[in-house]
Amino acid sequence: MVFSHGVTGGKGRCYPFWQDFMYCMARVGALHGEKCSMQFEDYFECLHHTKSNQRIAAIRAEKRRQMIASKEASQG
């Protein structure tokens, strides 16, 4: 669901992405909606942060791996 108003009364943080997606859909038509997949991905990422969260998890895992490797190198 899209809300054009944010919590404080201004525009919602993802509303511009929704507008881009709707503009694309209006331009190409609903039957050719796959052409708007990039706009939809941007909107979905704004709502759910899935790509950002995956990147953060990968960074944290690599940091843990490096810390364990440095501990093992200093002990051995």
Side-chain angles (χ1 to χ4, degrees), residues 68-76:
I68 290 170
S70 68
K71 284 180 184 178
E72 289 174 355
S74 67
Q75 290 176 358

Side-chain angles (χ1 to χ4, degrees), residues 10-11 13 17 21 24 32 36 42 50 60 65 72:
K11 285 190 177 182
R13 68 184 159 113
F17 295 105
F21 176 60
C24 180
H32 303 286
C36 300
D42 289 343
T50 51
R60 287 180 179 159
R65 187 195 66 77
E72 289 174 355

Side-chain angles (χ1 to χ4, degrees), residues 28-56:
V28 300
L31 295 176
H32 303 286
E34 67 275 354
K35 294 180 182 176
C36 300
S37 63
M38 289 176 49
Q39 288 86 350
F40 179 75
E41 283 182 30
D42 289 343
Y43 173 63
F44 195 81
E45 174 63 19
C46 181
L47 286 177
H48 302 290
H49 308 289
T50 51
K51 292 178 184 177
S52 301
N53 291 337
Q54 288 174 352
R55 180 173 166 83
I56 290 168

